[in-house]
Amino acid sequence: DRAVVVEPAWKPISSEWKSSFAVALDSEGGTVAVARANRVSLIELATGLTVGRLEDASLDGASQRDVVGALAFSPDDQWLASAGFREVRLWQRRPVAVAPLVSIPAKSSWVAASFSPDGTAVASVTALGVLEVRSNPWPRVLGTGSLKGSSPVTSLSTVRLGWSPDGRWLAVVSGREWWNVSITKTGLSFSKAMALPVEPTGMAWVPGEDQWW
């Protein structure tokens, strides 16, 4: 004599399930949406990089409860529809808000910058060969130092910065010169500049017995 509604007992789908049943390409052909089980990712076609994920916090980061079987962009690319078992969701694109955090004088313009592994500090090198390390809040300068012996640099390709995984050391290469910089709460400590036989094209930190190399 009365309607009875029984809610399905949903169980989470493993994030290890990678099967895809739906894809959608935006009108400009620059971004593709890919559904893997019940998780949807947005991929930049030019680079193959994942630039976004459609996540519902109540579903532990999944996009929908059930496997996503259909995806479609709106004609203006401002909406993406995803469909699973008896459920359609509309996801809206929103413009990214950009707010300046630090104002850099023109004479101190940066030619290279790199965030620490934990994202709490940023190292930069100016065109005059000055290294700065800032910590959050970003206007606060933790320490500065001159890359003595280096000629003024004008392009990103001539300066390389590499943080050790623990964030305690910073390797700086400018042309054929190399410095190790110790990062502490009280400032920076520079090693003596070392000359390299050729200008390197890359660098990486590797673990030693008791420190990083």
Side-chain angles (χ1 to χ4, degrees), residues 95-115:
V96 177
V98 179
L101 296 178
V102 180
S103 179
I104 306 298
K107 64 179 181 180
S108 302
S109 58
W110 293 359
V111 295
S114 176
F115 277 97

Side-chain angles (χ1 to χ4, degrees), residues 46 54 83 111 127 149 165 170 172 195 211:
L54 308 185
V111 295
L170 180 68
V172 183
Q211 62 180 322

Side-chain angles (χ1 to χ4, degrees), residues 38-55:
N38 63 341
R39 298 172 185 267
V40 178
S41 300
L42 299 175
I43 299 173
E44 185 179 57
L45 287 182
T47 62
L49 298 177
T50 299
V51 295
R53 292 182 174 86
L54 308 185
E55 298 181 342

Side-chain angles (χ1 to χ4, degrees), residues 82-145:
S82 63
F85 175 74
R86 300 186 67 180
E87 179 184 44
V88 175
R89 292 193 178 203
L90 296 178
W91 306 82
Q92 184 180 18
R93 271 185 174 174
R94 295 180 179 174
V96 177
V98 179
L101 296 178
V102 180
S103 179
I104 306 298
K107 64 179 181 180
S108 302
S109 58
W110 293 359
V111 295
S114 176
F115 277 97
S116 62
D118 62 4
T120 61
V122 62
S124 63
V125 175
T126 72
L128 297 178
V130 176
L131 172 70
E132 292 183 341
V133 176
R134 297 172 181 267
S135 60
N136 201 358
W138 303 117
R140 185 168 76 94
V141 178
L142 183 62
T144 64

Side-chain angles (χ1 to χ4, degrees), residues 155-180:
S155 68
L156 176 63
S157 62
T158 61
V159 178
R160 292 171 178 84
L161 302 169
W163 290 86
S164 63
D166 59 8
R168 297 175 57 190
W169 291 90
L170 180 68
V172 183
V173 173
S174 177
R176 291 172 52 188
E177 292 178 295
W178 165 38
W179 294 260
N180 271 347

